[in-house]
Amino acid sequence: DAGVIQSPRHEVTEMGQEVTLRCKPISGHDYLFWYRQTMMRGLELLIYFNNNVPIDDSGMPEDRFSAKMPNASFSTLKIQPSEPRDSAVYFCASSLSDSNQPQHFGDGTRLSIL
Amino acid sequence: LAKTTQPISMDSYEGQEVNITCSHNNIATNDYITWYQQFPSQGPRFIIQGYKTKVTNEVASLFIPADRKSSTLSLPRVSLSDTAVYYCLVGDPRGYQKVTFGTGTKLQVIP
């Protein structure tokens, strides 16, 4: 089975540009999570969705960050405008709502803002 | 949310058994304990999950004492490929409220 698929794997862009990260969850999973990982702050949950509906976005750092899930098989995390401090690895994960089901992570997008 | 505390790093020789302990003093009744493994340039990967006593799978064992205020991940006979960061998480998997990844334990396996 295909796992969580994220694209692009690497993104380098200049400050002020819009960045869009993409995620395809595992088919049938009804929870989707976006995380950010940095050396300083570790792995932080930004937002998560259940059945395409955002449930908790309290981890989104600023209004420059937005996330959408237009359907069960696709989600985007957008940063506009981007800043150097947004440089990090962004992970998407998905899971089933059944009790005890773990999250399955993609391999992440390494984002560098110059 | 239950806060977890783990050692920042550990070293072990190949072939040894490694035990990583996680403290979670304010674990709630509905909380489960989940361990993930993360290799460089990859996302975290689920290893094992438990509620109480002992859980064993093909990769690891998880020991949870009766008071559930701590848990120990046991990796039998580690190899160089087990070098990774190991995260202990505590939370209620039913609601998927924010479970927090702590700093994790960086395990270095030495030849």
Side-chain angles (χ1 to χ4, degrees):
Chain A
D1 288 340
V4 175
I5 300 172
Q6 292 187 245
S7 63
R9 287 298 312 276
H10 303 274
E11 174 92 13
V12 180
T13 191
E14 293 187 346
M15 182 175 66
Q17 297 297 307
E18 177 179 290
V19 173
T20 300
L21 311 181
R22 296 172 176 80
C23 175
K24 177 179 170 55
I26 293 173
S27 178
H29 282 193
D30 48 4
Y31 277 89
L32 184 138
F33 307 80
W34 281 101
Y35 290 85
R36 176 173 69 175
Q37 186 172 39
T38 61
M39 288 293 293
M40 291 295 294
R41 302 173 69 91
L43 198 59
E44 306 172 275
L45 178 65
L46 301 178
I47 184 171
Y48 74 94
F49 296 81
N50 178 219
N51 291 322
N52 313 338
V53 176
I55 303 301
D56 186 342
D57 66 353
S58 59
M60 297 284 263
E62 302 172 33
D63 291 345
R64 298 183 297 105
F65 286 69
S66 63
K68 293 182 179 179
M69 193 166 185
N71 57 62
S73 59
F74 183 67
S75 177
T76 60
L77 178 67
K78 187 173 293 187
I79 309 173
Q80 167 63 20
S82 58
E83 297 182 5
R85 58 192 169 124
D86 302 329
S87 297
V89 180
Y90 291 80
F91 289 104
C92 175
S94 69
S95 67
L96 287 167
S97 58
D98 290 347
S99 184
N100 304 338
Q101 294 301 311
Q103 296 179 31
H104 298 262
F105 284 75
D107 285 334
T109 296
R110 182 172 295 275
L111 176 64
S112 297
I113 308 296
L114 306 177
Chain B
L1 296 174
K3 179 177 166 56
T4 60
T5 303
Q6 307 173 233
I8 292 176
S9 64
M10 296 179 68
D11 292 338
S12 176
Y13 288 103
E14 272 193 295
Q16 299 291 309
E17 177 183 80
V18 171
N19 295 311
I20 305 174
T21 297
C22 179
S23 297
H24 27 80
N25 291 320
N26 59 339
I27 187 169
T29 303
N30 293 330
D31 287 346
Y32 278 71
I33 300 152
T34 310
W35 285 81
Y36 284 82
Q37 174 192 56
Q38 185 177 25
F39 297 113
S41 302
Q42 294 185 24
R45 184 174 70 102
F46 170 81
I47 301 176
I48 197 167
Q49 184 178 70
Y51 184 81
K52 62 180 179 180
T53 62
K54 178 183 175 182
V55 179
T56 298
N57 61 23
E58 64 278 5
V59 176
S61 294
L62 178 59
F63 299 92
I64 305 168
D67 66 7
R68 305 201 324 123
K69 294 184 182 300
S70 67
S71 58
T72 299
L73 175 72
S74 181
L75 304 172
R77 297 181 298 281
V78 294
S79 64
L80 295 177
S81 62
D82 292 317
T83 294
V85 178
Y86 293 82
Y87 294 96
C88 164
L89 280 71
V90 172
D92 183 347
R94 296 172 301 171
Y96 282 100
Q97 79 279 31
K98 285 197 292 188
V99 288
T100 303
F101 281 76
T103 55
T105 298
K106 183 172 173 54
L107 173 66
Q108 180 69 51
V109 180
I110 306 166

